[in-house]
Amino acid sequence: MAGNDIEKLIKLVSKLPSLGTRSARRIVLHLLKKKESVMLPLIEALNEVSANIRTCEICGNFDTSSPCSVCSSAQRDDTILCVVQDVADLWAMERVSLFKGKYHVLGGVLSALEGVVPEDLNIEPLAKRISSGGIKELILALPATIDGQITSHYLSSRFKDSGVKITTLAQGIPMGAELDYMDEGTLQLALNSRKVL
Amino acid sequence: MAGNDIEKLIKLVSKLPSLGTRSARRIVLHLLKKKESVMLPLIEALNEVSANIRTCEICGNFDTSSPCSVCSSAQRDDTILCVVQDVADLWAMERVSLFKGKYHVLGGVLSALEGVVPEDLNIEPLAKRISSGGIKELILALPATIDGQITSHYLSSRFKDSGVKITTLAQGIPMGAELDYMDEGTLQLALNSRKVL
């Protein structure tokens, strides 16, 4: 149907997350139709990011500098460290712009099923950050899954003698949710952790 | 949160069809994580397509050559022309690989609402292709919308004296469809165009 180059591009685009062949075709056609206004700026932005992107040597965030803008910010609290699974979670926390401490990206969670052991994660650099002193609180903001919870427990037992206060995000009913639509686990959790008004 | 370059890339990606901010963020993170295996090949493919892509001077298809591979194919029937709204429709027809004639991309359909008049469409080149002779049948494969039908009627009345047989795609119940889920218009159409078994 279309040229080989176009087919190849469609195939590459279709393998990106949340896309399939049909949406990839639509996207590529859109790029072809708007070469000057969409395709060329996109290529330029991709080139810039690909040339400038660094993984922060301290926290694991992606940025155009290393240390990243969060780690090198003087406005942020060096004594609180928020431990997240992934850069996506770091960005999600930053979108709320409530947290003013710093981060540590684990790069995954422990998983018996997928064979992820502590050595596969970014835990040694975390231990070094903690032992080098200055950190007072470790917020474990890991996913509310079994693996996430196991990882939280592993980290909390590993660092329990470090003198650092270890906390996790509160769990319960999310804002705007109808009880009717909540799963039993969440309801049980919310009931067990109920608070006095 | 992330660097300015990354933010800019996310914004550009989020404006592509079928994407939003959330999926754009996921895609960009995926690109950042797999720079060597995903991002660089994607940039290369985009560069190749952007450098080599041509709009076919005969039919309006996108290809790396002009005339495109369909127009320059000796295996295809020069006497049948399939008129489509968009390159996407040409690609859809080619995926079925049943049609062995050639194409003409209109680049849209007439629309009173959006102010699309015949001069905005690729109709003059079509008239030239027809008057230069050799074409026996014009298959109008335009969308089954009001505007598509109006465009079909316009084309059929415009070329009715050219000696070319003018046909359109059959309309009715699509394959695998349940009658229960069909809209009234389609049912009425299918009933009116019923065939003897």
Side-chain angles (χ1 to χ4, degrees), chain A residues 1-6 8-10 12-13 15-19 23 25-33 35 38-53 61-64 69-70 86-88 91 94-95, chain B residues 1-6 8-10 12-13 15-19 23 25-33 35 38-53 61-64 69-70 86-88 91 94-95:
Chain A
M1 59 198 243
N4 268 338
D5 287 354
I6 303 179
K8 197 177 142 198
L9 179 59
I10 292 175
L12 285 174
V13 171
K15 283 181 185 154
L16 296 176
S18 71
L19 294 180
S23 42
R25 239 184 266 126
R26 284 186 62 203
I27 288 173
V28 169
L29 258 176
H30 181 77
L31 293 175
L32 292 174
K33 282 181 193 166
K35 188 173 155 183
V38 179
M39 192 179 197
L40 297 184
L42 180 68
I43 292 179
E44 202 191 314
L46 278 167
N47 273 326
E48 262 167 43
V49 166
S50 126
N52 301 327
I53 199 69
N61 189 13
F62 287 120
D63 206 337
T64 43
S69 53
V70 175
D86 198 277
V87 175
W91 290 3
E94 282 299 278
R95 280 199 294 284
Chain B
M1 61 198 239
N4 268 338
D5 286 353
I6 302 179
K8 198 177 143 199
L9 179 59
I10 292 175
L12 285 174
V13 172
K15 283 179 184 155
L16 295 176
S18 71
L19 294 180
S23 43
R25 240 184 265 125
R26 283 186 61 201
I27 287 173
V28 169
L29 258 176
H30 181 76
L31 293 176
L32 292 174
K33 282 181 192 167
K35 190 174 154 183
V38 179
M39 193 179 199
L40 297 184
L42 180 68
I43 292 179
E44 201 192 312
L46 279 167
N47 273 327
E48 262 167 43
V49 166
S50 128
N52 301 328
I53 199 67
N61 188 14
F62 287 121
D63 206 336
T64 43
S69 53
V70 175
D86 198 277
V87 176
W91 291 3
E94 282 298 279
R95 280 200 295 282

Side-chain angles (χ1 to χ4, degrees), chain B residues 97-144:
Chain B
S97 16
L98 252 177
F99 179 65
K100 289 300 170 204
K102 303 207 166 172
Y103 292 96
H104 193 86
V105 180
L106 277 191
V109 286
L110 300 174
S111 167
L113 213 64
E114 294 172 28
V116 181
V117 295
E119 288 70 39
D120 297 327
L121 301 179
N122 207 8
I123 292 177
E124 278 322 303
L126 176 63
K128 267 184 208 141
R129 286 179 84 174
I130 289 172
S131 63
S132 70
I135 290 165
K136 290 181 186 156
E137 183 177 351
L138 208 61
I139 305 176
L140 303 176
L142 296 173

